[in-house]
Amino acid sequence: KLTKKYEQNKEKFQTLQDIVRSEIAEKTTRVKNSATDALLWLKRALNFIAIMLEELVKTKDEVSACASRAYDQTLRNYHGFIVRGVFSVALKAAPYRQKLLKTLGKDKSEEETIQELQKYTASLLENVAVLNQFYKETGEEKSDKA
């Protein structure tokens, strides 16, 4: 949805915020399949990922525990009963911590991988914070449930 909107006018849409501003001006932010709604869910998902990785970095807990805490902090309030249940089942398929870190780090040590994740997570959280602030300022932050 975001790519489709961007490709409509690449010069006009230099940033994601430009796309949302355009939909605000056109009064199409609440239309089904709007880019504004797609970005809202993307920023929520990225926030979940960032918090999960942050938990992975600052604790020695398994991925499922980190993901569960991240979910509670980020997505849970936007999901209804059924989606919450689906997420709970999906957690059971989360990889073990050691396997995930080895996959992410490839040939690096766990310590090196953790250091890289710290940098990545900090950067991701900064970008999500910018989008969160933008959505609050424009009044586009919605509490609708999926």
Side-chain angles (χ1 to χ4, degrees):
K1 296 171 194 174
L2 288 167
T3 302
K4 185 177 178 181
K5 186 74 172 186
Y6 169 72
E7 288 176 348
Q8 289 176 4
N9 192 337
K10 293 179 182 181
E11 289 185 27
K12 179 179 178 182
F13 301 135
Q14 295 294 309
T15 66
L16 293 169
Q17 291 91 331
D18 290 338
I19 293 172
V20 174
R21 284 187 198 101
S22 171
E23 288 191 347
I24 290 170
E26 297 165 0
K27 296 183 177 18
T28 58
T29 61
R30 306 285 182 192
V31 175
K32 185 178 178 181
N33 294 323
S34 72
T36 301
D37 193 53
L39 181 58
L40 175 71
W41 283 100
L42 176 60
K43 79 175 185 66
R44 288 175 180 170
L46 291 173
N47 194 36
F48 164 75
I49 292 166
I51 299 296
M52 184 194 72
L53 291 175
E54 188 176 56
E55 288 287 321
L56 198 65
V57 165
K58 73 180 185 182
T59 71
K60 295 286 185 188
D61 294 346
E62 284 298 332
V63 175
S64 59
C66 296
S68 181
R69 286 193 300 272
Y71 180 76
D72 288 344
Q73 293 176 48
T74 60
L75 296 173
R76 188 178 188 358
N77 290 336
Y78 305 109
H79 288 164
F81 177 75
I82 292 173
V83 177
R84 287 178 187 173
V86 170
F87 183 83
S88 180
V89 171
L91 273 181
K92 295 179 186 339
Y96 288 107
R97 174 189 178 86
Q98 187 176 13
K99 181 170 179 145
L100 177 65
L101 292 174
K102 184 173 180 149
T103 301
L104 291 173
K106 298 188 181 174
D107 297 329
K108 296 184 172 124
S109 70
E110 183 174 318
E111 185 177 305
E112 290 172 312
T113 303
I114 292 288
Q115 288 172 352
E116 285 190 16
L117 280 175
Q118 285 174 320
K119 292 177 201 170
Y120 171 79
T121 302
S123 179
L124 182 55
L125 284 169
E126 286 176 23
N127 285 297
V128 169
V130 168
L131 289 173
N132 281 335
Q133 184 62 34
F134 175 73
Y135 268 71
K136 285 177 188 165
E137 288 172 0
T138 60
E140 293 303 320
E141 184 67 47
K142 300 184 293 186
S143 60
D144 300 354
K145 293 187 188 261

